[in-house]
Structure formats: structure tokens, C-alpha cells
Amino acid sequence: MKSSKELTKILDLLKARYPAEPEFHQAVAEVLTSIWPFVRSNPKYQAARIVERLIEPERAILFRVAWMDRHGAVQVNRGYRVQMNSAIGPYKGGLRFHPTVTLGTLKFLAFEQVLKNALTTLPLGGAKGGSDFDPKGKSEEEVMRFCQAFMSELHRHLGDDVDVPGGDIGVGTREIGYLFGQYRRLTTEFSGSFTGKGLYWGGSRIREEATGYGLIYFVEEMLRTRGNSINKKVIAISGSGNVAQYAAERAIAVGAKVITLSDSDGFIHDPDGVNEEKLAFVKELKNIRRGRIKEFAQKFKCDYHPGKRPWGVKCQIALPCATQNELDGRDADSLLRHGCICVAEGANMPCTHDAISTFVDRRILFGPGKAANAGGVSVGGLEMTQNSMGLQWTRDDVDRRLREIMRAIHSQCVRFGEQKGFVNYVVGANIAGFRKVAEAMLEQGVV
Ligand code: NDP
């Protein structure tokens, strides 16, 4: 899509102002390029400088996290919370603990989160936070001590109606337990200011499953637009964490065959398909023993490809569910060569700009993360609703609402992304999310 001078100016200024944040530039460029014709056709957005305001966080908190490891040595990490936009609701977005975390990574994630949350139909603003702390190889006590030290600062910036974090890479139920415990101790109140909580202390059913299940519900909707279904399709999944595990679980339940999983060391290729028993092994391996995916190949006697990503295998559906920029233009070509008809992003920004252009140009079904992986934050929003009502809904109740939300997200993508018989989900998701936030910002004045 051709970009105008004004857009180039905005992107150049962003790069000059924040030169060390390439992932943030990438996410902003991708979104702004796709919505620019819409922005230009609505001069009120340009007059109020909505775009310029949208790409500047309302607040970014940076803090030191000092803690003592099991050898008695003092460790110093960096903590962050980027509160990007609260025009449509309190800040909401996960915490990521991974050594690669920087302010730029979190700004890209927070920016995406604003538009994603707007798509969910729920009143949620956007934020993201985390630390360069690496939970891998740490003892239980070290993880707990780190979480407590992290929360000792962050707690003053949170609250039910202020900012409600959840999980992301490296932050699962265990970490949320330690974070919430410290939050409760410091604030002396039990409130719903965290999502992803345990079921006995305010958590929602289906929250753990939500991103992966929601991804498959979205894929089913996309396939339906072409009179197709997921049953018997061969699926390549990357990652083996929360999103990958539950995407695989749901895909298997509806009759698809999942043939790959991965971690940061490599991927397994199991042409017979990962069944329920094998998936139970993966959950125990990754969530309890915290081992490496190559053990899967040893146990079930299939191929393991160290240092590689799974996009060279023959599949009809590809679901990148690990991390950003894990599927590039060459991977996209390879998937298309092997007959892939649908790609949906379980992770945030896993496909590079080149990969996305390839999928869109070839008119296959491509579901961008802000739509396809919005199930997690949606059930996070439903957890907040249950907390404020003092209720806990049944599994069926939450699952039904999750399906409805994924369907509504899909409809918005179709409404704003329809281009002469082809649904451009990237354009659809970006315009639908942007429009809602932009209208709220306009109505609330210059703040
Ligand atoms: P987990 O920590 O549970 O799992 C992450 C998986 O990705 C692991 O298999 C991990 O391998 C792999 N991975 C992480 N970093 C890299 C890397 N640099 N290169 C290759 N593989 C890597 O995280 P989640 O499943 O929660 O999150 C995965 C993605 O989904 C992220 O992009 C996240 O932002 C996104 N997401 C998550 C949501 C949620 O509800 N959890 C909601 C919406 C989006 P290893 O074990 O080796 O680190």
C-alpha cells in the first residue's frame, strides 16, 4: 500500500525519537500503513492528532528489581510497565519475563494490545509490562523472591479500575500466584487487579486455555468463509508453552492433526500426529518439569530438528505460537509451496512484514495476532467481570462467551477488511480496533 508524506513523517519522527526500539517501529509501521487510507478519509482524526497520540504511551514506568539468589548473591533486573492507552477502559495486558525484554519490546506489545483489546468488545485499555528476568533454570524460591521484589514496586501502579496485568511469556499461573500474593500483602486488599489467577482465588475457568482455544475458534471462522473446515487438516504449530499447548488441544479435539511443536532450541516433527497422551506429556514436561521439547522426540521416537523452526514441513494450516518475528518471508514461501491455506498468529507479531505481504498477496487466509490471539485477554476481561460480581461462571458459560467474542472479532475483521471478495484480516482488525479507540479519544478531548 502506498504511504503518504504525512505517514512517512510520523514514522521517521518515531524512529528518530526512539532509535533503539525496532520492534516498536515495526508494529507501528504495519498498523499505520494498513489504516492510512481510513485515517485520511476521516480528517477529524488528523485534526485531533489521534495517530500521534496513539503511538505515545500515556505512561511508562521503569524500575529496578533487586533480589537475592539461592547462593546469597544480589541480582539486579529491570522492571517495566507501559500503560499505553486507557481511552476505553482500565489498562490491561500481560507481563513478560524473558531475557530479551526491553522497553521497545513492551512498547510494541502494548501498542498492539490497545487495538486487540478494542476488538474484544470489552471495555479494556492497553498495557504491557515485564522484566529481563529469566525464570529458566531458577529454583521455585528464586522465582518467588523475584516476583515479590518486582511487585514491591509495581503494586502502586495497579488496581481494578487502574491497571490489571495478566500473564505472557514466562509468566504463568505460578508467577501470577506469587505476584498476586505480594500485591495482596502490600495493599491489604483482595481485589480483581490481576487475571490468570488460580481457580480457588478468583480465577476464571478457561483462562489458561483461552488464547489457544480462541485461536482455533478464529481459524474455524476463517475457514468457514471459504466453505472449508478444520477437520482432518494437518497443522504445524511452533512453541510448546501456554498458547501452543491449548491450540494443539483444541485442534486435536476437532479432528485436526498437529505434527509439530517447538521451543527455543528446535522443533519436533511427528507425522503420526500429537494425540492426547502425547500432549499430556508435553504439559508435564513444560509446565512441571520445565524440560526441553527434544525429550518428546526421544520418548515418542520422532524427528527432532535442533536450531530450526517448523515452517519447512508440509501442512495446510500454520500456527506460530512462540514469539515475535519467528516466521519470515522465506518461511512464508516454503509454507505456500507445501500447500498451506491458512496462517493464524497465536503469538504476537510472529510473522515478519515480508511474510504477511506474501500471505496477503497470495490471498490465503491470514489471521493477525491482534484478532486471532485475543481469546486470552477476552477471558481476562471476563475474569474481571466475574470478580466484580463476586461470581464464578461454569466452564461451559465461559467457553460459550469466548466463542461469541471470537466470532464478533471475526465479523469486525470481515466488515472492515472486505476487499472485492477477499477478506484482508490485517486491514480489518487494524481499522476496527483503531476506530473504536479513536472515537473514544475524540469524545474525551485532548488529554
Ligand atoms: P510461554 O512462556 O508459555 O511459551 C512460550 C513458548 O515460545 C515456549 O515454547 C518458548 O520456548 C518459545 N519461545 C519463547 N521465546 C522464544 C524465542 N526467542 N525463540 C524461539 N522460541 C521461543 O508463553 P505463551 O505461550 O504465553 O506466549 C507465546 C506467545 O503468545 C507470545 O508471543 C505471547 O505474547 C503471545 N500471547 C500469549 C497470550 C497468553 O494468554 N499467554 C495471549 C496472547 C498472546 P522456551 O521454552 O525454549 O523458552
Side-chain angles (χ1 to χ4, degrees):
M1 202 170 297
K2 251 168 113 186
S3 53
S4 71
K5 267 194 199 142
E6 303 101 283
L7 174 57
T8 309
K9 208 167 124 196
I10 292 174
L11 295 175
D12 286 348
L13 184 65
L14 187 79
K15 286 183 195 159
R17 217 181 240 180
Y18 305 112
E21 300 177 356
E23 288 161 334
F24 183 46
H25 308 158
Q26 182 186 342
V28 170
E30 185 260 305
V31 170
L32 296 193
T33 309
S34 74
I35 64 170
W36 202 249
F38 178 74
V39 173
R40 291 197 62 171
S41 62
N42 285 279
K44 60 183 180 180
Y45 297 143
Q46 280 180 294
R49 302 193 74 191
I50 295 291
V51 166
E52 288 87 339
R53 283 153 66 192
L54 204 63
I55 61 178
E56 198 60 55
E58 287 178 5
R59 197 171 297 102
I61 302 146
L62 249 108
F63 51 99
R64 178 182 69 208
V65 188
W67 58 284
M68 202 172 275
D69 70 16
R70 60 182 183 273
H71 309 294
V74 174
Q75 299 291 337
V76 184
N77 288 97
R78 304 189 91 190
Y80 309 87
R81 185 72 177 165
V82 178
Q83 298 180 330
M84 199 76 191
N85 194 297
S86 58
I88 64 168
Y91 303 110
K92 176 93 199 86
L95 295 174
R96 175 176 292 193
F97 291 169
H98 195 273
T100 58
V101 163
T102 61
L103 182 60
T105 321
L106 297 173
K107 279 172 72 177
F108 120 62
L109 288 163
F111 175 70
E112 286 281 297
Q113 195 82 43
V114 171
L115 302 177
K116 179 191 307 192
N117 292 1
L119 285 173
T120 64
T121 70
L122 304 171
L124 303 170
K128 202 83 188 188
S131 172
D132 58 358
F133 170 74
D134 187 359
K136 262 190 228 133
K138 303 288 189 303
S139 68
E140 281 293 316
E141 292 70 26
E142 286 175 316
V143 171
M144 182 174 76
R145 265 187 244 149
F146 174 80
C147 289
Q148 292 177 341
F150 181 85
M151 195 43 73
S152 296
E153 172 57 34
L154 190 65
H155 80 278
R156 23 183 149 259
H157 308 287
L158 307 181
D160 302 20
D161 298 319
V162 182
D163 186 350
V164 186
D168 192 75
I169 292 180
V171 179
T173 313
R174 171 181 70 166
E175 289 75 17
I176 288 176
Y178 295 145
L179 292 162
F180 184 73
Q182 181 74 346
Y183 178 80
R184 193 168 56 75
R185 171 158 76 178
L186 294 171
T187 58
T188 63
E189 66 175 37
F190 193 108
S191 69
S193 43
F194 246 94
T195 62
K197 300 189 289 297
L199 273 184
Y200 295 136
W201 40 280
S204 172
R205 295 199 166 83
I206 308 274
R207 172 58 193 95
E208 209 173 311
E209 296 90 333
T211 308
Y213 279 21
L215 177 66
I216 300 301
Y217 297 155
F218 195 83
V219 166
E220 289 180 302
E221 291 298 317
M222 289 200 295
L223 288 167
R224 194 167 295 134
T225 63
R226 299 204 175 172
N228 212 333
S229 95
I230 196 169
N231 188 30
K232 297 204 166 46
K233 294 285 183 301
V234 175
I235 305 189
I237 296 183
S238 66
S240 49
N242 173 273
V243 180
Q245 289 171 19
Y246 287 104
E249 180 168 292
R250 192 66 218 157
I252 296 164
V254 289
K257 191 196 243 190
V258 174
I259 57 163
T260 68
L261 289 170
S262 72
D263 62 20
S264 45
D265 294 339
F267 81 93
I268 59 104
H269 182 197
D270 184 348
D272 294 336
V274 177
N275 58 18
E276 282 171 18
E277 180 210 335
K278 293 174 183 175
L279 191 60
F281 173 83
V282 174
K283 287 186 186 169
E284 197 263 339
L285 173 72
K286 285 292 174 183
N287 309 347
I288 297 170
R289 282 197 289 122
R290 298 184 189 269
R292 311 307 300 158
I293 199 69
K294 73 172 171 218
E295 290 182 43
F296 179 103
Q298 285 154 4
K299 176 149 175 84
F300 298 109
K301 311 269 177 284
C302 68
D303 289 343
Y304 173 65
H305 302 269
K308 295 234 165 69
R309 303 180 295 201
W311 315 124
V313 304
K314 190 171 161 46
C315 64
Q316 289 144 311
I317 299 175
L319 304 177
C321 296
T323 192
Q324 62 268 20
N325 293 327
E326 54 159 322
L327 195 164
D328 61 21
R330 281 176 56 187
D331 296 324
D333 287 335
S334 161
L335 284 169
L336 291 174
R337 240 186 354 264
H338 287 114
C340 183
I341 56 164
C342 173
V343 178
E345 297 184 321
N348 285 309
M349 208 168 74
C351 298
T352 62
H353 177 73
D354 284 352
I356 297 172
S357 302
T358 304
F359 296 140
V360 173
D361 289 350
R362 293 281 294 273
R363 298 194 155 220
I364 69 157
L365 295 167
F366 173 73
K370 67 174 70 67
N373 73 32
V377 74
S378 302
V379 174
L382 298 179
E383 182 173 329
M384 290 161 69
T385 308
Q386 293 169 77
N387 291 161
S388 59
M389 295 194 309
L391 289 174
Q392 195 173 47
W393 294 331
T394 63
R395 205 179 151 81
D396 282 351
D397 254 349
V398 181
D399 196 32
R400 182 177 46 78
R401 287 172 208 263
L402 171 62
R403 270 178 202 270
E404 278 167 12
I405 291 173
M406 296 314 295
R407 242 180 246 139
I409 295 173
H410 183 268
S411 306
Q412 294 175 75
C413 293
V414 173
R415 177 173 168 211
F416 291 99
E418 181 105 51
Q419 298 174 341
K420 295 183 189 141
F422 168 68
V423 180
N424 185 328
Y425 287 86
V426 176
V427 170
N430 287 338
I431 294 182
F434 170 80
R435 181 173 165 268
K436 185 168 171 186
V437 179
E439 289 295 327
M441 288 172 75
L442 274 182
E443 286 171 17
Q444 291 173 31
V446 179
V447 288

